[in-house]
Amino acid sequence: MGDLLVTTTTGAGTTLTGAEVAAFRANVRGPVLRPGEARYEEARRVWNGLIDRRPALIAQCAGVADVIQCVQFARTHALLASVRGGGHNVPGNAVCEGGLMIDLARMKGVRVDPTRRTVRAEGGVTWREFDHETQAFGLGTTGGAVSDTGIAGLTLGGGLGWLAGGYGLACDNLLAVDLVTADGRFLTASAEEHPDLFWGVRGGGGNFGVVTAFEYQLHAVGPMLAGRVLYPFSRATEVLKWYRDFSATIPDALNTIGGLTTAPDGTKVVAMLVCYHGPPAAGERVLRPLRTFGSPLADEIRPRPYREVQTLLDAASPRGRRYYVKAAFVEAISDAAIDTLVSHFAAVPSPFSLLAFQQLGNAARLVPPEATAFYHRGAMYEWFVQAAWPDPADDDGNIRWARAVAGAMLPFTTGRGYVNHLGPEAVEGLEPIRAAYGPNYDRLVALKNRYDPTNLFRLNPNIRPTV
Ligand code: FAD
């Protein structure tokens, strides 16, 4: 086996001998792929088709022992390392150029304890897989709104979802994590063990180690009243104002997403999506105004199993398309914000792009901002623009459009982004990152100094160590 040119944490190149690579391979139970080998091309691809990076090695970990080997190998050789959970992150932080990609996609174990109403799921599980296992027992917890998103990245950054009105964010339902820290140690963090670390992994992203398993609190989650109502774009200003007023006073059982999109026939529409997790008769009452306000183009709200609710947005975000996302938290939707969105969407260059408000949900907002590393409890919504297009020739126009909308929307936001939606520019610059962690940043730096002083885990919205 030949020598291998690799990138180090400083960005410089170095060489691993064939013997060093062979020894690493022998110590890892899962496949370790080099460029040119079968399945390498498939393994380096993530959800966003815009991401085209080539790691020197992709270690497809089979379990905790493999993750420990990867961390020790990366540390010994000062390798640039990235961590892949579900591979859904927009800036593609799961894939590094020239370094070691620690790929958890094969770690799919999920074990539900129906008596305690808890679940333990490994770091490569997606929400579709998680919901499949938990719903077999009529249980569930807050998860992402697109089913092939990973539980790992989403939970570590916070985790907005349909059930957050009643149960808080995904990270609010975490009971414990197993993780491998930068020194290769295997730790469990929970309210009792390493509570400082447990605080940090609930909103601090992948900064403190590779999480091999997550344990969550589950809840009884049955069929729910959910779906979308569509209105014509010609009435967008009026409908979005109505959505603003409606969503500002919702009960805990309800959560919403409202925005602008393009229907498959090419017609621009206003879409309001809802999920009512409570008694159906009460849901019918709560949702009646939404369905009878004006004359909707379509009303698709009906009782649905939770697993179906969790796939309602899948078609709008298929894997492999080219994506660019900008986002920020919003405390209240102003008339001027609505005017800004409507005027920009009138000029949207791609029928696959959308603008939306995703509601945090009542229970998510009751948690004090310093209680976990996720700071944004005062916000009512996360606002985001998701530009999407299939053709590389259209990259510039679509990215320019998304940046223009985001720039125009900035005055109507808190000026703070969501760790899970920080774009490539933000990942390179410190200020947007500091803003995303808010006043929790200094405490996160102290944790980083303690658990990752050499910044081994740096391909993320990075908390820079100061030691
Ligand atoms: P990956 O790309 O695998 O990982 C992203 C980063 O997370 C990695 O670079 C690494 O830093 C870290 N990471 C991943 N796995 C581990 C691990 N096991 N240990 C340590 N660090 C790890 N967010 C919401 O809150 N709610 C939503 O409803 C929602 N919907 C979305 C819909 C779409 C279409 C998209 C593209 C994103 C959505 N997001 C949502 C954002 C989502 O939370 C992030 O993209 C998140 O990073 C995805 O996690 P992942 O594991 O799939 O990503």
Side-chain angles (χ1 to χ4, degrees):
M1 189 190 297
D3 292 351
L4 186 65
L5 194 62
V6 292
T7 305
T8 65
T9 48
T10 62
T14 188
T15 302
L16 294 175
T17 65
E20 284 169 330
V21 176
F24 174 56
R25 273 188 155 156
N27 282 331
V28 175
R29 185 158 61 100
V32 176
L33 308 173
R34 288 176 67 150
E37 293 182 345
R39 300 198 316 278
Y40 172 87
E41 286 303 317
E42 186 194 333
R44 77 183 181 91
R45 291 287 170 196
V46 286
W47 171 79
N48 187 353
L50 202 58
I51 307 301
D52 185 18
R53 300 195 194 113
R54 304 182 67 80
L57 291 169
I58 303 176
Q60 298 190 305
C61 299
V64 173
D66 286 359
V67 174
I68 292 173
Q69 288 295 334
C70 286
V71 169
Q72 284 174 344
F73 188 68
R75 198 186 66 238
T76 304
H77 297 281
L79 294 181
L80 182 67
S82 63
V83 182
R84 184 199 191 279
H88 225 264
N89 177 249
V90 184
N93 288 329
V95 201
C96 55
E97 186 66 50
L100 171 65
M101 177 171 165
I102 304 173
D103 182 357
L104 272 61
R106 291 180 165 225
M107 291 176 58
K108 295 288 194 193
V110 182
R111 187 181 189 284
V112 177
D113 182 335
T115 310
R116 287 176 59 227
R117 290 195 169 177
T118 60
V119 61
R120 194 188 150 74
E122 287 188 305
V125 169
T126 64
W127 286 107
R128 183 188 302 126
E129 295 154 351
F130 183 98
D131 294 333
H132 178 84
E133 298 295 335
T134 56
Q135 278 284 276
F137 300 92
L139 301 172
T141 199
T142 307
V146 170
S147 73
D148 67 347
T149 312
I151 63 166
L154 185 133
T155 305
L156 293 170
L160 282 63
W162 286 121
L163 302 181
Y167 304 128
L169 303 178
C171 74
D172 298 331
N173 290 281
L174 258 192
L175 298 172
V177 294
D178 288 345
L179 82 170
V180 177
T181 50
D183 54 5
R185 271 190 304 161
F186 175 79
L187 299 179
T188 296
S190 67
E192 291 79 34
E193 291 177 81
H194 304 288
D196 56 343
L197 199 48
F198 188 53
W199 175 85
V201 297
R202 288 175 292 161
N207 271 284
F208 306 108
V210 184
V211 177
T212 53
F214 296 79
E215 188 182 344
Y216 299 85
Q217 183 67 59
L218 296 174
H219 314 272
V221 175
M224 45 195 68
L225 207 52
R228 57 179 196 168
V229 182
L230 301 180
Y231 283 91
F233 182 67
S234 56
R235 295 180 58 198
T237 304
E238 173 198 358
V239 177
L240 285 177
K241 284 181 182 171
W242 192 91
Y243 167 75
R244 180 234 350 246
D245 297 342
F246 176 76
S247 59
T249 58
I250 55 170
D252 296 354
L254 185 61
N255 214 355
T256 75
I257 297 177
L260 302 170
T261 183
T262 305
D265 68 358
T267 319
K268 290 186 176 65
V269 292
V270 190
M272 293 187 279
L273 287 90
V274 291
C275 171
Y276 184 87
H277 174 228
E284 293 284 357
R285 262 195 317 278
V286 169
L287 296 177
R288 191 172 303 125
L290 179 80
R291 312 172 77 173
T292 51
F293 156 77
S295 308
L297 290 173
D299 176 353
E300 298 165 357
I301 296 173
R302 59 171 184 269
R304 299 174 191 261
Y306 180 56
R307 283 174 61 198
E308 184 184 322
V309 176
Q310 286 286 81
T311 63
L312 286 176
L313 287 166
D314 284 9
S317 303
R319 195 167 271 265
R321 209 172 256 168
R322 305 171 83 77
Y323 294 96
Y324 185 85
V325 172
K326 298 284 268 182
F329 288 100
V330 169
E331 279 170 1
I333 304 173
S334 66
D335 286 358
I338 291 173
D339 291 344
T340 302
L341 290 184
V342 173
S343 64
H344 278 85
F345 197 69
V348 63
S350 166
F352 304 117
S353 299
L354 52 93
L355 302 172
F357 295 98
Q358 180 167 7
Q359 194 151 10
L360 253 70
N362 293 353
R365 302 180 70 232
L366 290 177
V367 178
E370 289 83 19
T372 67
F374 180 90
Y375 176 73
H376 314 276
R377 306 292 182 166
M380 183 72 96
Y381 315 88
E382 189 205 13
W383 168 81
F384 62 90
V385 47
Q386 179 173 299
W389 64 100
D391 188 347
D394 297 329
D395 287 358
D396 287 350
N398 284 284
I399 292 172
R400 209 177 314 117
W401 174 78
R403 284 186 176 156
V405 194
M409 278 295 286
L410 193 61
F412 312 120
T413 71
T414 61
R416 299 184 189 281
Y418 178 24
V419 166
N420 277 342
H421 270 150
L422 288 187
E425 320 79 47
V427 170
E428 281 153 24
L430 189 60
E431 276 320 308
I433 290 176
R434 191 185 281 270
Y437 295 115
N440 287 333
Y441 186 73
D442 291 343
R443 188 169 164 191
L444 286 163
V445 171
L447 262 187
K448 186 77 173 175
N449 288 344
R450 179 153 181 219
Y451 288 101
D452 186 16
T454 64
N455 207 9
L456 182 68
F457 303 111
R458 63 180 60 207
L459 290 179
N460 45 42
N462 194 225
I463 298 157
R464 305 239 174 108
T466 53
V467 285

